[in-house]
Amino acid sequence: MTRAAPEPRKTLDPDVVAQWLARHPDFFVGREGLLQQLRVPHPEARGATSLLERLVADLRSRAEHAEGRLEQLLDSARHNEGQYRRTRELILALLEAEDSDALGQALAAQLSEHFQTPAVALWCPPSLTDREPRPPQPPRHILDEHTAQRLSALLDDRTSRCTRLTRSDWQRLLPHTTLPEKSGSCALTRLAVGEPLGYLILASPSPDHFRASMDTLFTEYVGDVVARLMVRLTPTEHG
């Protein structure tokens, strides 16, 4: 009577082994020698290394990634702190302005010094300037119908927008500043406190300084503050 040949040894499914080890994390307790015998692919070179060395390499990589991420967070925090301090100085300088001309000049000086914005214009309707003892001084200008139409067209039915400025637009909208050699760029926002109060333009001779993809939250915020201060500083009929 002949014996039946033994069945070929079945190969364990790696996924099954992985699931079993995940359910039995204490399997290697008391089997530390087995850990030292295991070999896994080296993460940076050909060949194999021990499991413990691989774990050390993985932990080092994670630590380096976490350190890089922490440095990014610290850089972001430092940037936000700097932005807060610059914005605070800007608002305090605006609040100290004694009249509308001083307001415009403080705005231009602060934006140039702290926000790399070399050109600023405030276009105000006659209702805010007619009762002033003298004509507005740059960067303030009296808004006329033609300029209002052009500014409205540049905004394209939006409250604020970053866009390119042609040389002809620059010459009309920022007449008190040096004309750039080529096209520039600007952040433009509509001023209003219940009713339209003109426009604020932050401009740069660089065509890429204010890009269309940029957020305009800061420009809108400054515009909101400036509009309210302009109303407060406007002389009354009996002022």
Side-chain angles (χ1 to χ4, degrees), residues 104-134:
Q105 291 158 11
L107 176 65
Q110 288 288 320
L111 289 175
S112 175
E113 181 178 354
H114 298 298
F115 294 92
Q116 291 75 54
T117 304
V120 175
L122 265 173
W123 286 92
C124 312
S127 59
L128 289 181
T129 60
D130 282 349
R131 291 192 293 271
E132 294 182 1
R134 60 176 184 171

Side-chain angles (χ1 to χ4, degrees), residues 72-108:
Q72 290 178 356
L73 292 174
L74 290 174
D75 287 343
S76 178
R78 285 190 285 265
H79 171 76
N80 290 338
E81 181 182 5
Q83 191 78 349
Y84 162 75
R85 292 184 181 277
R86 291 190 293 270
T87 303
R88 179 176 180 272
E89 290 182 15
L90 166 64
I91 300 305
L92 291 177
L94 297 182
L95 290 173
E96 292 173 356
E98 296 181 354
D99 56 40
S100 295
D101 280 339
L103 174 68
Q105 291 158 11
L107 176 65

Side-chain angles (χ1 to χ4, degrees), residues 6 10 15 37 81 90 95-96 110-111 113 116 126 131 137 141 157 160 167 188 193 208 214 231 237:
K10 293 184 178 180
D15 291 336
Q37 298 176 35
E81 181 182 5
L90 166 64
L95 290 173
E96 292 173 356
Q110 288 288 320
L111 289 175
E113 181 178 354
Q116 291 75 54
R131 291 192 293 271
Q137 301 299 303
H141 302 279
D157 293 327
S160 60
R167 294 183 85 243
L188 171 65
V193 181
D208 298 319
M214 291 178 63
V231 172
E237 292 186 9

Side-chain angles (χ1 to χ4, degrees), residues 167-183:
R167 294 183 85 243
S168 59
D169 277 335
W170 185 291
Q171 191 171 23
R172 166 162 287 279
L173 302 179
L174 297 116
H176 59 289
T177 64
T178 302
L179 188 66
E181 295 182 2
K182 298 181 179 180
S183 63

Side-chain angles (χ1 to χ4, degrees), residues 4-199:
E7 294 184 6
R9 194 178 209 177
K10 293 184 178 180
T11 302
L12 292 175
D13 187 329
D15 291 336
V16 173
V17 174
Q19 293 174 7
W20 188 90
L21 287 174
R23 293 196 301 270
H24 301 81
D26 58 347
F27 172 75
F28 289 103
V29 176
R31 298 183 177 88
E32 287 75 10
L34 179 59
L35 279 174
Q36 297 177 7
Q37 298 176 35
L38 294 177
R39 290 289 182 269
V40 294
H42 194 281
E44 298 178 357
R46 293 183 178 180
T49 184
S50 71
L51 180 61
L52 293 179
E53 290 176 348
R54 174 59 185 269
L55 289 174
V56 170
D58 286 348
L59 289 174
R60 184 181 297 114
S61 176
R62 292 183 185 182
E64 291 174 353
H65 178 76
E67 185 177 353
R69 177 61 178 159
L70 177 59
E71 189 61 33
Q72 290 178 356
L73 292 174
L74 290 174
D75 287 343
S76 178
R78 285 190 285 265
H79 171 76
N80 290 338
E81 181 182 5
Q83 191 78 349
Y84 162 75
R85 292 184 181 277
R86 291 190 293 270
T87 303
R88 179 176 180 272
E89 290 182 15
L90 166 64
I91 300 305
L92 291 177
L94 297 182
L95 290 173
E96 292 173 356
E98 296 181 354
D99 56 40
S100 295
D101 280 339
L103 174 68
Q105 291 158 11
L107 176 65
Q110 288 288 320
L111 289 175
S112 175
E113 181 178 354
H114 298 298
F115 294 92
Q116 291 75 54
T117 304
V120 175
L122 265 173
W123 286 92
C124 312
S127 59
L128 289 181
T129 60
D130 282 349
R131 291 192 293 271
E132 294 182 1
R134 60 176 184 171
Q137 301 299 303
R140 291 198 308 141
H141 302 279
I142 300 176
L143 187 64
D144 57 80
E145 183 177 353
H146 182 73
T147 304
Q149 289 177 353
R150 184 57 190 151
L151 287 167
S152 180
L154 284 173
L155 276 176
D156 193 24
D157 293 327
R158 294 175 236 187
T159 301
S160 60
R161 182 190 182 195
C162 291
T163 185
R164 291 280 184 97
L165 274 184
T166 63
R167 294 183 85 243
S168 59
D169 277 335
W170 185 291
Q171 191 171 23
R172 166 162 287 279
L173 302 179
L174 297 116
H176 59 289
T177 64
T178 302
L179 188 66
E181 295 182 2
K182 298 181 179 180
S183 63
S185 60
C186 76
L188 171 65
T189 188
R190 194 187 309 272
L191 303 178
V193 181
E195 60 178 328
L197 293 176
Y199 299 86

